[in-house]
Amino acid sequence: MLHENLTILTHDYVTRCFLGKYHEFVQSSGSINVGRNVWFGKNVTLLRGADIGDNCIIGYGSIVNKKIPANSVAAGMPAKVICSLDDFFQKRKTLQKEDAMNLARSIVERLHRRPVPEDFWDEFPLFVSGDEVDKYPEIPIKAQLRDSFDKYVNTHKAEFDSFESFLKASGIE
């Protein structure tokens, strides 16, 4: 996925500096390779020599100028691998419930209202089982899941049996 402000530079303008001092045109360009299933955060820059493997996440504002191996999460200036995709996946699975409950409590505290299902576009798997997708037309579940929608409908069992039980577990009556 190409996010906002992705910059791809296969060359730079050091040639102009060389011309000014040495009066010689010496090129400074190279290739960039991007694998399959790579997600770029906003404001990422790819410089010549960037080589990103399959199944990678490149964090917000990163500058990639070297090899990022497949199945990695990388961030920084320059971008460095911070963990494997498998480790990040497990971390997010562990934290998703806590984050969703914090969101629910934050809506009550900051917006002074009771949360509603459409507040949880990303958190719906916690309270929507696959056979209950039609109960929540206000959440764009099919759009969120894309090609994984049919598998979700056929196999997913939510941790909470309803939105109300999710709220109750979050401390919201």
Side-chain angles (χ1 to χ4, degrees):
M1 177 177 177
L2 305 179
H3 218 306
E4 292 178 36
N5 299 323
L6 175 68
T7 302
I8 300 173
L9 295 173
T10 58
H11 67 285
D12 56 35
Y13 289 99
V14 299
T15 298
R16 297 291 175 213
C17 189
F18 296 156
L19 279 171
K21 177 163 173 101
Y22 305 108
H23 306 289
E24 287 189 46
F25 188 94
V26 177
Q27 69 86 16
S28 181
S29 62
S31 65
I32 292 173
N33 296 303
V34 177
R36 298 176 187 271
N37 193 35
V38 174
W39 182 86
F40 296 100
K42 287 183 180 180
N43 303 321
V44 168
T45 300
L46 304 181
L47 299 177
R48 65 186 171 88
D51 184 1
I52 303 169
D54 295 342
N55 306 309
C56 287
I57 297 171
I58 308 298
Y60 182 98
S62 295
I63 297 176
V64 182
N65 64 352
K66 62 184 178 195
K67 183 165 183 61
I68 304 296
N71 303 301
S72 296
V73 177
M77 294 191 244
K80 294 180 180 167
V81 174
I82 55 177
C83 65
S84 73
L85 188 63
D86 290 341
D87 288 345
F88 190 59
F89 176 74
Q90 289 305 318
K91 177 181 177 181
R92 291 306 318 144
K93 280 188 74 143
T94 300
L95 294 174
Q96 70 179 343
K97 181 168 77 171
E98 179 182 339
D99 290 346
M101 290 177 161
N102 286 337
L103 173 61
R105 290 187 290 270
S106 177
I107 290 169
V108 171
E109 293 167 10
R110 296 172 189 231
L111 301 179
H112 308 290
R113 67 171 175 81
R114 184 176 172 78
V116 294
E118 56 262 32
D119 292 325
F120 297 90
W121 282 30
D122 293 333
E123 298 81 7
F124 68 87
L126 291 169
F127 58 86
V128 181
S129 290
D131 60 352
E132 298 175 320
V133 169
D134 294 336
K135 290 183 181 180
Y136 296 92
E138 65 274 29
I139 303 174
I141 295 172
K142 189 168 189 172
Q144 288 285 75
L145 293 172
R146 301 180 188 192
D147 293 342
S148 298
F149 179 76
D150 290 339
K151 180 179 180 190
Y152 182 90
V153 168
N154 292 324
T155 64
H156 183 72
K157 176 66 177 143
E159 182 173 342
F160 298 98
D161 62 7
S162 68
F163 181 67
E164 288 304 316
S165 65
F166 162 71
L167 290 181
K168 186 174 183 179
S170 300
I172 299 169
E173 296 298 325

